[in-house]
Amino acid sequence: MTSGMDDSGKYAVRDRDYDRHRDWLGRQGRALPGAVAALAALDAEPRAWQSVLTGNLPEVARIKAQVFGLIPYLDLSTGAYGNGHTDRADLVKIAQHRASERSGDTFDGTNTVLIGDTPHDVAAGTSAGTRVVAVATGKSTASELEAAGATVVLPDLRDTEAVLRAVFRD
């Protein structure tokens, strides 16, 4: 897999053979504990619209979501990806715009929740005016995520009810 900047400053994919790394990814990575159950619970909730916001290219995000069993719960067409903008806060706005167009509802800071696991994720959400549910399952600690300004910090995604309460403020 190779990519690079094209003349417009956007990422241009030169080799679309992402699938050859699928088996390796499945052996090396994993969905976070509770992720599938949390996404399934949110998918069953009519108030939720789920997508992704990532620095990855769209095809890479799709492969990762497929390998880890997340595809059934995500609308990847409304996601925002690394080829859309270099500023994560702008990616939030792109995803909100796409979700608004596709759903017919308005997505803005009052009804958008970003779930992430790094201070960069928290900064993107807060800069875009959204609530942020941070999950301390990555390299960042709960204290670091709180200090970055997360609205709620969860230790992981295993408690589906806690995830739902954090997202919907129930």
Side-chain angles (χ1 to χ4, degrees), residues 50-127:
Q50 299 182 105
S51 193
V52 298
L53 188 139
T54 178
N56 287 308
L57 295 171
E59 185 65 10
V60 174
R62 184 185 64 78
I63 295 290
K64 287 180 176 182
Q66 283 177 334
V67 168
F68 300 123
L70 309 177
I71 284 284
Y73 313 109
L74 302 169
D75 178 356
L76 297 179
S77 68
T78 58
Y81 305 93
N83 62 341
H85 205 283
T86 56
D87 184 329
R88 285 189 193 201
D90 286 334
L91 290 178
V92 175
K93 299 295 186 188
I94 290 169
Q96 288 173 320
H97 176 75
R98 288 179 178 160
S100 295
E101 281 188 331
R102 184 156 164 109
S103 71
D105 293 327
T106 299
F107 287 87
D108 57 26
T110 65
N111 64 355
T112 301
V113 178
L114 187 146
I115 300 175
D117 65 355
T118 71
H120 293 298
D121 296 333
V122 175
T126 56
S127 292

Side-chain angles (χ1 to χ4, degrees), residues 118-119 122 138-150 153:
T118 71
V122 175
K139 294 179 182 176
S140 303
T141 66
S143 298
E144 291 168 328
L145 296 168
E146 287 171 4
V153 178

Side-chain angles (χ1 to χ4, degrees), residues 1-16 18 57 82-83:
M1 158 178 71
T2 60
S3 65
M5 291 281 195
D6 65 14
D7 292 335
S8 69
K10 302 263 185 193
Y11 284 97
V13 177
R14 295 188 197 126
D15 177 0
R16 294 193 178 266
Y18 301 109
L57 295 171
N83 62 341

